Amino acid sequence: EIVMTQSPATLSVSPGKRATLSCRASQSISSNLAWYQQKPGQAPRLLIYRASTRATGIPARFSGSGSGTEFTLTISSLQSEDFAVYYCQQYDKWPPITFGQGTRVEI
Amino acid sequence: EVQLVESGGGLVKPGGSLRLSCAASGFTFSNYNMNWVRQAPGKGLEWVSSIGTGSSFIYYADSVKGRFTISRDNAKNSVYLQMNSLRAEDTAVYYCTRDTAMIYWGQGALVTVSS
């Protein structure tokens, strides 16, 4: 099973600043990685797939990078609506599909 | 517009059973793999099960193998999760999702296992 490890667990950032979230896979997953945003009481929303491709309707301030075992989600200028929990997920070697434990982005 | 609508959640006693349904619309259901993902209260996301387009494959997480059964009915545009021998640790919101990069999610169905 591929273990996904996200860091940090909590990220405190001011509005307008840059946020950088990390995700590490326990073995190479090529670029088969997705990022999700989840707000309280809502289902997760796909932000990025194939490590760096923005999903439809996702603002350009969200960008993904990386391949192999190291991945990054960058939010270039945090807006108030971006404060949420972010999860990475691998879909390269499955089953099982595995998620990271999440990074909470807070003010 | 793509929609996934879960139903069938509720309160059940340990050892009991429940069947979740997910009704899909807005896309050609038979062309897509479908999944169930759950989230325990205050916890992260956990993949539960996946089923291929014509039930060509079926996979389960170890935590539910032997107790849960996924199925689909392409004529009814629906996917199901039969959950037997439920435990307290199965308490979660269960989401129906499409594809392995899960672009579409339902609103979730709450399953509570408690005596």
Side-chain angles (χ1 to χ4, degrees):
Chain A
E1 171 177 331
I2 295 180
V3 177
M4 306 301 293
T5 304
Q6 292 185 241
S7 61
T10 303
L11 187 61
S12 297
V13 188
S14 299
K17 298 298 186 183
R18 183 187 194 91
T20 303
L21 289 66
S22 296
C23 177
R24 174 177 293 178
S26 60
Q27 59 183 282
S28 177
I29 57 169
S30 185
S31 296
N32 293 311
L33 180 106
W35 287 96
Y36 301 88
Q37 177 194 65
Q38 188 178 34
K39 297 179 181 178
Q42 296 184 16
R45 175 174 73 145
L46 178 68
L47 299 175
I48 302 284
Y49 62 97
R50 213 167 289 155
S52 60
T53 303
R54 271 190 305 277
T56 302
I58 300 303
R61 65 181 181 272
F62 291 93
S63 63
S65 63
S67 66
T69 62
E70 300 285 341
F71 301 88
T72 301
L73 174 70
T74 302
I75 312 171
S76 59
S77 177
L78 268 163
Q79 307 298 303
S80 57
E81 61 266 30
D82 300 335
F83 292 97
V85 179
Y86 293 82
Y87 295 95
C88 61
Q89 173 230 328
Q90 71 84 20
Y91 52 96
D92 184 67
K93 296 176 177 62
W94 70 284
I97 290 170
T98 49
F99 292 88
Q101 79 278 19
T103 291
R104 180 179 304 277
V105 176
E106 62 178 30
I107 299 173
Chain B
E1 178 195 5
V2 171
Q3 281 199 308
L4 300 171
V5 180
E6 300 95 339
S7 60
L11 174 64
V12 62
K13 289 182 167 54
S17 297
L18 214 53
R19 189 194 195 210
L20 301 181
S21 299
C22 171
S25 60
F27 64 99
T28 304
F29 178 76
S30 58
N31 289 351
Y32 291 90
N33 303 332
M34 300 296 295
N35 318 285
W36 289 96
V37 174
R38 69 184 180 183
Q39 187 170 37
K43 303 296 184 183
L45 302 170
E46 180 188 16
W47 169 78
V48 173
S49 183
S50 297
I51 187 166
T53 53
S55 301
S56 52
F57 65 79
I58 288 177
Y59 301 127
Y60 299 100
D62 286 346
S63 56
V64 307
K65 202 173 293 182
R67 301 187 298 121
F68 289 11
T69 302
I70 192 172
S71 61
R72 66 188 296 160
D73 185 336
N74 287 341
K76 294 184 178 180
N77 292 341
S78 293
V79 61
Y80 308 98
L81 189 68
Q82 176 67 43
M83 304 183 292
N84 299 331
S85 302
L86 282 160
R87 306 166 179 166
E89 55 265 34
D90 295 318
T91 294
V93 174
Y94 285 73
Y95 295 102
C96 168
T97 74
R98 196 191 88 175
D99 295 319
T100 45
M102 302 176 189
I103 188 168
Y104 296 110
W105 296 64
Q107 84 287 354
L110 177 61
V111 172
T112 303
V113 184
S114 174
S115 54

